[in-house]
Amino acid sequence: NAGVTQTPKFQVLKTGQSMTLQCAQDMNHNSMYWYRQDPGMGLRLIYYSASEGTTDKGEVPNGYNVSRLNKREFSLRLESAAPSQTSVYFCASSEAGFAYTFGSGTRLTVV
Amino acid sequence: QKEVEQDPGPLSVPEGAIVSLNCTYSNSAFQYFMWYRQYSRKGPELLMYTYSSGNKEDGRFTAQVDKSSKYISLFIRDSQPSDSATYLCAMTSSGGSYIPTFGRGTSLIVHP
């Protein structure tokens, strides 16, 4: 039972490069989320998908795009990475709204 | 003022101590209250949640909600070094998208 799987676990990008963070869940959850976690800032919601086929902006969506590929997969794309996007990114899924299952995170450094 | 306030710590206690972790909030619409535990370099995991006011117990952990004071607590009895982690409170209202508002987390260190 894998739960929520995120790839890659670590990534270093140069400013201006693009990349896609992948997330997949095997719990048949309807809702999926992308958060970033920074020291002193806590968890901040980037985008979420309440159900397959829908996506909505969270608290800090600028510089990111998302795709809900199917019920299992929810990807986060950085089109032109900036140093301010250096962070730890967590994907989560839920069935009961607030009761999240998180992935183990992607540590991204933009130089 | 953030909607949810949580002291970042660190809170350092000896093994076997009773630990009290707390959050205050300002939004009276919050109805669901959650505690997540996050080990270093891992994702948060849901420890327990309560609905509205009252207490909920699960083994060595007790969650308490005081809606009149807008104050929630997590108590850990007989703390163990394996309890060393960051504890995040989170809360949400019962309507809408249920997306929780998280506290910034309290770092707990239990030393042998």
Side-chain angles (χ1 to χ4, degrees), chain A:
Chain A
N1 51 345
V4 176
T5 302
Q6 291 185 236
T7 55
K9 294 192 184 304
F10 303 94
Q11 185 71 49
V12 178
L13 287 179
K14 293 182 178 179
T15 297
Q17 286 185 319
S18 62
M19 79 163 294
T20 299
L21 282 65
Q22 307 286 354
C23 175
Q25 52 94 5
D26 61 2
M27 297 167 287
N28 203 36
H29 286 168
N30 282 317
S31 303
M32 298 185 73
Y33 312 82
W34 276 105
Y35 283 85
R36 61 178 289 175
Q37 187 175 42
D38 302 288
M41 300 295 291
L43 284 164
R44 292 184 291 170
L45 182 64
I46 305 171
Y47 270 94
Y48 68 100
S49 171
S51 61
E52 188 178 354
T54 69
T55 60
D56 286 286
K57 294 178 181 179
E59 181 185 354
V60 288
N62 291 345
Y64 305 95
N65 284 301
V66 291
S67 295
R68 184 74 183 266
L69 304 170
N70 48 55
K71 191 171 186 180
R72 289 187 63 247
E73 299 173 287
F74 188 38
S75 63
L76 178 72
R77 183 160 178 84
L78 286 70
E79 291 291 353
S80 178
S84 61
Q85 294 178 305
T86 293
S87 187
V88 181
Y89 291 85
F90 289 103
C91 177
S93 69
S94 75
E95 189 57 40
F98 53 84
Y100 287 7
T101 300
F102 283 87
S104 57
T106 295
R107 295 183 172 273
L108 175 66
T109 302
V110 183
V111 297

Side-chain angles (χ1 to χ4, degrees), chain B residues 45-89:
Chain B
E45 57 177 330
L46 181 65
L47 261 181
M48 54 199 307
Y49 70 89
T50 56
Y51 174 73
S52 195
S53 286
N55 292 1
K56 185 174 184 178
E57 190 172 318
D58 184 0
R60 296 184 294 111
F61 298 88
T62 300
Q64 193 172 81
V65 175
D66 182 348
K67 292 190 73 179
S68 63
S69 302
K70 296 190 179 67
Y71 189 88
I72 69 169
S73 300
L74 178 70
F75 298 97
I76 307 174
R77 292 186 300 279
D78 187 25
S79 56
Q80 302 295 310
S82 58
D83 295 326
S84 298
T86 297
Y87 290 80
L88 297 93
C89 64

